[in-house]
Amino acid sequence: MSQSYVFKSENACLVLGANDANLPYLEMLLATDLAVRGTSVSSSDDVPLFIPFMKRLEKAAQERGMLKEAEIFMEFQLLSEPAVMAEKDDSPVIVAAGKAIYPRSRAEKELFSILPTSDVVFSVGPAGTGKTFVAVIWALSEVLSGRKGKLLLTRPVVEAGESLGFLPGDLKQKLSPYLNPLYDAAEYVLSPNQIKRMEENGSLEIAPLAYMRGRSVNNAVMILDEAQNATRSQIKMFLTRLGENCQAIVTGDPSQTDLPFHSESGLEEALQILSGIKGVSVVRFTHNDTVRSRIVREIVRAYSERERDEE
């Protein structure tokens, strides 16, 4: 028995995408064929989740605009978990440059909740869970609102399994390949020209981790990304830069360390010895929190299972 759902005219394209680009993905998630006629979507089978899913997607589109696959997937995942659905309406929100960002998983919701009250936040877990994205958007919201004066981005300069050799240019140009994920997140709410202006006026600073020694950072949000590639002494050095009205956010995936042989990551040790300190919070993501896409979630799950089997 077929089912139909009619979107408001302005929401149909936001859910289905340009030229109905999201339709094949929706068909895969619902395991049924879908047909579009105007603003109406019909399923060829009786799928219990079809109508509730379309309603959630329409609401999400009204709040966020054009939906991408990752957002569609998380709405589908949340719909399958009644306990999460009950909590969704009172979810926290981060607003940066006029754009509202909502949590898309249990762990993201926890992260959203602790960021306003913690001096040091560890956000750790597998790829695709939104750790870096949320950290950058939160930091931008703090700077753009005037609550903080600067966003300082840093990460260890460690190559992922291959040497890039000598990189030409000034310090910023040399660091650019390592910091692209941070810029990608910032460009979700700001244009490249706005980001450039922030760099020029000093409200956005890029610094290699090694250059942080000896500094005292005040009135800022500091983000240490890819912290699994930082040594024990580097993480200690980074965290002890905290000055007045300063917050540190440390993101990383302990399973993807690229440090040279015999070099130990300081991330897990920091999580163990600092988690009991007042003002220090830890949010651990799992493959169930993957928001990048369905396929990334399955890839992360497969590798996690293999690693458990090998232990």
Side-chain angles (χ1 to χ4, degrees), residues 108-288:
E108 273 199 4
K109 184 173 182 179
E110 181 184 357
L111 181 57
F112 274 48
S113 298
I114 62 138
L115 280 168
T117 58
S118 301
D119 299 312
V120 177
V121 177
F122 286 91
S123 177
V124 296
T129 49
K131 306 181 301 296
T132 298
F133 176 79
V134 172
V136 171
I137 300 301
W138 165 256
L140 286 172
S141 75
E142 289 288 279
V143 174
L144 295 173
S145 67
R147 292 187 292 268
K148 295 289 192 292
K150 175 188 292 187
L151 165 54
L152 193 155
L153 302 173
T154 186
R155 67 185 293 186
V157 182
V158 177
E159 294 162 351
E162 57 182 321
S163 175
L164 299 179
F166 172 76
L167 293 175
D170 58 19
L171 180 61
K172 182 179 181 298
Q173 291 170 322
K174 292 176 187 293
L175 283 175
S176 182
Y178 300 95
L179 294 167
N180 279 338
L182 303 173
Y183 279 108
D184 290 343
E187 288 180 3
Y188 187 82
V189 295
L190 297 175
S191 69
N193 284 337
Q194 289 173 312
I195 294 172
K196 184 178 180 180
R197 283 197 294 272
M198 288 185 68
E199 291 178 321
E200 291 172 347
N201 65 29
S203 56
L204 173 59
E205 180 183 351
I206 311 296
L209 183 55
Y211 284 31
M212 295 289 291
R213 189 173 300 279
R215 298 184 60 178
S216 178
V217 181
N218 300 297
N219 193 30
V221 179
M222 305 190 305
I223 297 177
L224 171 57
D225 191 40
E226 300 289 348
Q228 75 276 3
N229 290 329
T231 63
R232 173 186 183 183
S233 62
Q234 286 177 320
I235 290 184
K236 178 183 176 183
M237 179 267 291
F238 172 78
L239 294 176
T240 52
R241 301 308 96 202
L242 280 166
E244 292 294 325
N245 192 34
C246 192
Q247 181 183 41
I249 305 174
V250 180
T251 69
D253 178 3
S255 71
Q256 292 195 35
T257 300
D258 299 311
L259 286 167
F261 189 60
H262 295 313
S263 296
E264 292 188 8
S265 170
L267 180 57
E268 280 293 356
E269 181 193 52
L271 293 170
Q272 293 170 9
I273 66 177
L274 300 178
S275 59
I277 297 176
K278 185 177 180 180
V280 176
S281 298
V282 177
V283 178
R284 290 185 180 271
F285 291 76
T286 70
H287 64 265
N288 290 324

Side-chain angles (χ1 to χ4, degrees), residues 73-74 77 81 105 126 129 285-290 297 301:
F73 174 63
M74 288 313 302
Q77 184 183 20
E81 301 180 38
S105 69
T129 49
F285 291 76
T286 70
H287 64 265
N288 290 324
D289 300 303
T290 302
R297 178 183 178 183
R301 186 201 300 272

